[in-house]
Every structure is written in C-alpha cells, then in structure tokens.
Amino acid sequence: MRLNWALYGSLSCTLMVVLICGAFAFRLTKTPSATQSATFNVDASSQSARVMPDNLFGIFFEEINHAGAGGLWAELVSNRGFEAGGKNTPSIFDPWVKIGNDSNILVSTDRISTLERNEVALKMEVLCDNDDNSNPCPSQGVGVYNPGFWGMNIEDGQVYNVVLYILSVDSIDLSVSLTSSDGSQNLAQHTIEADEQEFSSWTRIEFELESSGTNSNSRLQITTSKCGTIWLDQVSVMPSDTFMGHGFRKDLASMLADIKPRFLRFPGGSYSQGRRLANAFRWKSTVGSWEQRPGHFNDVWNYWTDDGLGFFEFLQLAEDLGALPVWVIHNGISLNDQINPSSLPSFVEDVLDGIEFARGDPESTWGSVRTEMGHPNPFELKFISIGNQECGNKNYKANYLKFYTAIKAAYPDMKVVTNCDGSNGQLDHPADLYDVHVYTSASDMFSKSQLFDKTSRNGPKAFVSEYAVTGNDAGKGTLVAALAEAGFLMGLERNSDILEMASCAPLFVNNNDRRFNPDAIVFNSSMQFGTPSYWMQQFFKYSNSATYHPSTIQASNYPSLLASALTWEDTDSNRKYLKLKIVNYGSKVVSLKMSISGLETKISSGGLKTILTSSKLSDENSFEEPNKVVPVMTNISRAGETMSVAIAPYSLTSFDLLLESQDLRIFID
Ligand code: AHR
C-alpha cells in the first residue's frame, strides 16, 4: 500500500507509520455492541470562529525516570566525571567496575583533577605487567569498565566520539574499547601508547571509535597490561549521529518533533526545586564546557546526573524542536527546605543572569558564555515559571513578588507564570499566566473537560503544565487514560480563549528506572515506543494557531461523547483542513450524524479518518507490541457538509477534511 503523500502535505509521516499497523481498528466491531445515535453540529462560520493560541500544546521535560541522563541526552557513559560518589575521596565510583583483582590492580578515587568544579578523578594502580613473569596481567588486561545506563547501544558502522583526560608519570599502553557486556565481543578499539612525558600533566585526548557490530548491551572498557599508575577523568562516549548534531538521542528527539510541540517546559517539575536546596538544579552549574560541570544528585528522583543536559542544551532543544522554552526557575523553595530570606536577592540575581545567558547580547557577561558555547544568537526565552508547585508555602508569594518585580523591570516582555491556581477566583498577585497541574483518575479527567468552563474570562490565562491520568486506570499507559485525556484536551480547546498552554507529564521513562507512571514515551538503550497518551497527542498537534469552531454533540442518555472542531492550515502546502475530533468514552457504537454549517469554502469529496482504539480499555503498548494501540488511518471517499459515520466504542476518532476543493487523493497500489 502506498500513499501519495505529496498530495497530502504534512499529514504526516507519523500517520504513514501507523497505517502499516493495519486492520486492528476494526477489532471492536467484531464484538456486537449496542448502538447509540447522536448528532454533531459544527458552526464553521467566520463570525463564530476563534483563533486558538499559538503555543497551545507543548511538552514538559523533567529529569525523572532517567529521561535525560541515560535517555534523551545521548552520552553513553554514566558518571563520566567520577563525581557521583561525592567530594570526599576515596569515594564510590559506581557504575564503573574494576576489571582484575587486588593482586593485579587497585582502583580508587582521588581529588587530583585540575578541573575547578570537578576535582574527583579515578586512580588505577596497575600492579601486574606482561613483561614481569612474576606478576603477568590476565589475558584481557586489567582496568575498568562502564556499563553505561543499563547497557550502551552500540551499532554496526556507527561512529562514537570518545574524550578522556589522562594523567600518568609512567609510560602507558592503554586500550579503550567498546565490547559486549561480558567483554567477550570486541566492537571497536583504540590504543593509546605514550612515554613518561606525554601525560605527565592532565591531557585531554579525543578520538573516534567505529563499531564493527551491533550490541544494545555494550560497555566501555579501559584496560592495560602494563604496570604503573594512571588517573582518568571526564570519560565521554557520544554517538556522532545525534538529533540536529546537538547531542540528543535521535530516535527520542524525533518522537518529540513528531508531535510538533510549541513550547518546552523544563527542567521540572519537582526536579527544578530539589528535595534539598543543596541538590537543586542550579543553571550556572550546568553551562560551559561539559568537562567543567560538577553534576549533581537528583534527590527527588534519586539518581546522579552529570548535567550534560544543562540549561544551554534545554534552550537548544527547544530551538531545534521549533518550540519556545519555558524555564521553571528555583524560587528559593525546595521540597524539604528553603533559603534564608537574606539569600533571596542572590537567587533573583541568578535568574536575571540566566535570562541574560539565554537572550542577552553576545557581548554581555552571560551572553558571551552562550556565545562561547556556540550560540551567539539569543534564544527566544519568553516564559518564566516562578517555581513549580509551591503556592501553598508561606513564603511563596513574597518570594514570587521579588522575582516578578525584578524580571518585569529588566525584561518587560517576559511572561511570568505563577503556580497559584487562578481558575476559581482572582489571584492576589500579578501574573501573565497561572499554572495548573491535573493528576487524577480516568473518569475524573474526562469530566474535567469542563474545568475551565466557569473560569472568569478576565485576568491571567491558564497554563496546564502537567496533566495525566494516574493510578489504577493509568497502568503504564493505557487506552482508557489516553481517551480520558483526549476528552480533557477537547475541553481545553473549547476554553482556549483563557487557556493558553498545556502539556502532559511526565514525558519519558527509561524502562529500567520507572519512578513515575504513566509516561508518554518509553525507552531502553536501543528501543522506544509511544504510550496511547503519546499517540493521543498526535490528534492535537495541529491545534496550535488553528481556528476553533463551536460545536455541539448530543446523544440522549449517553454522556460519553465529547467533540471538537477546528480548521488548520498546512503552511508547507497551503492547504486547509477542517478537523473534527470525537472521543467516545462509552461502550456503544455511535451512529453519528455530522453536520457542518457556515463554511465559506467547500469540503473536497475526500478525507482521512484516523482512529485510536483497541480491544480492551487496559490495553498498553510494550517493547513486544509497540503498535498495539496506535492511530490507524483510512481514507474516506464521501466527505461533505453532512456525513453519517459510525464511531467505535472507546475510541478517539478524527476526520481531516480538505477544504477549498483542493485535490485530496490517496493512491493505493
Ligand atoms: O510529573 C511528575 C511530578 O508530578 C512533577 O515533578 C511534579 O511537579 C508533580 O508533582
């Protein structure tokens, strides 16, 4: 089967992938269900139309579940700077493992590095030597290995950039290799031979390794068979092929690009606050060369991060995705402690410096740091969230006002987000947006499609920066969760006169470190799949800047239907589509009469129907069945202003109808 995508514009490569998944959309129809009749009336007149916000749907990235370290950030070495064990040496150096035993090698940590914020290095005292008959080294040599984050994905023919710092007053003969998890399969190798002089002060070396095989559970080995003492620091292995060449794992970043997010909220969530102040994400420690970054313990989600994915990289990711960055700043309040009020000015100063880093002149103090990092042009930072969920804290508002006043004085155009909910009454402090987090059961999420119906139309707008069905309904990402969330998002579209932005949470989970369920994208070292909630978001990716049309959907004694109508324009092809979305959250097949009035342009006779459903509400995708619950697209031949369609039980369906008598055809070989 082949689609003529040139005719169909950007509707979209994702849908092409899911087409392959074929006929399972009809599974539900095999089980006879009761039928419910319903009507769906759309007022598509220009008088009733309303333009929806440009940045309505985006993404929220938090360093949770190893989303970044061991995930989106493509660095393969875990604890590359040996700092994870703390500053007091000797320290533990997990997950590095010694190769050899105490009679042939001793491994420990030392505070010996010249890198200012990053002093700990690894010390290998090699006691064996192949030239010494009394203590020869084992045949594979001795040294250390790093398993990465639950195995490194090394692929045949791919090139990996290796950087490491070496110090030794002895001559050395080191082998740096990528191998299988037991060391038996050698995928790539590089040898470093040097006399006593060459590494007598810390020296950075860089080389490429090209793999001759594929193994998704590989490790990096640094071994030798030569007696002497060698210190190692800042050992990095990065795939050379990353998303837009900026260090993001390509498969994962592409999944983000596919849902066309208009904003990227980062770095958390609770991660942005830290459980303890000392462990919070502080942007200044995450910029500059990666070797200089101290890294920090993510004490909210309990793992170390080398901060390869730092402030600069978040801004870069937003730019690469065509999304606006939304920076969640530390407002002085962590989960378990907070700053002494006397320290508040320095926190405010820190944020102003951060804004200068993001968008200041290339010559400015912090703009020049950005420039040195390779980005002289300012990033488009226009949104700042003053914290995450601290509104209930007694110091929140006082702190908030200090940040708000200072930011607005220096950057009047900056949109400031409070985390006090303003949906039920007026806020008692100034803000451009207020943040709302919605975590609830599926049925409650579906009913929350009305959450903003009664909200005042004056005052700051709402930003639902975290929403997800959680608890039993959610499993690890079920169909029912996705359907309930679709209903919720339709309510947000209807209220998008006062609802400015929304994003689901969390975005990613490394399957080896599930801290929070459910998540939109699941991955391990080499594979990835979207949960039904991820695929549900594909139905909303054209809503940004689209034109909303009021509509009513009615079915007697069947409160399980919600719908939404909009027109959107594919700017690449200049084609316009009327998009009708219907969620059927009940068990009946719905015989739906759709009627569109007020259109100023004609509907072409063709169109596309996309459906997300499955045989059970609890159905999930998995590594074994990644496409169990994914959208399935079929062409419809008789589109028009009135249409009778069958809507499957427990489904999300959309109809994309081409407007202005443009030719929409699908060629099937
Ligand atoms: O999304 C997971 C967590 O839920 C976020 O860190 C926090 O903001 C919320 O409580």
Side-chain angles (χ1 to χ4, degrees), residues 58-133:
I59 50 177
F60 158 49
F61 181 96
E62 171 158 25
E63 184 57 90
I64 180 175
N65 307 319
H66 276 87
L72 183 62
W73 188 244
E75 171 63 67
L76 292 170
V77 179
S78 172
N79 188 17
R80 65 186 174 192
F82 306 101
E83 309 293 319
K87 288 200 179 310
N88 296 326
T89 54
S91 54
I92 54 162
F93 44 84
D94 284 358
W96 291 89
V97 177
K98 179 166 97 168
I99 300 172
N101 59 41
D102 288 355
S103 69
N104 46 43
I105 183 169
L106 301 174
V107 180
S108 59
T109 54
D110 243 358
R111 278 175 76 157
I112 193 172
S113 170
T114 48
L115 298 165
E116 217 177 278
R117 299 190 290 183
N118 201 347
E119 288 180 324
V120 180
L122 192 78
K123 180 182 186 185
M124 299 200 300
E125 289 170 84
V126 180
L127 310 174
C128 61
D129 194 304
N130 276 4
D131 291 337
D132 175 0
N133 287 339

Side-chain angles (χ1 to χ4, degrees), residues 22-31 609 611 613 632 634 648:
F24 89 102
F26 301 104
R27 261 187 234 156
L28 282 171
T29 58
K30 286 182 190 157
T31 329
K609 175 184 173 183
I611 179 167
T613 187
V632 175
T634 48

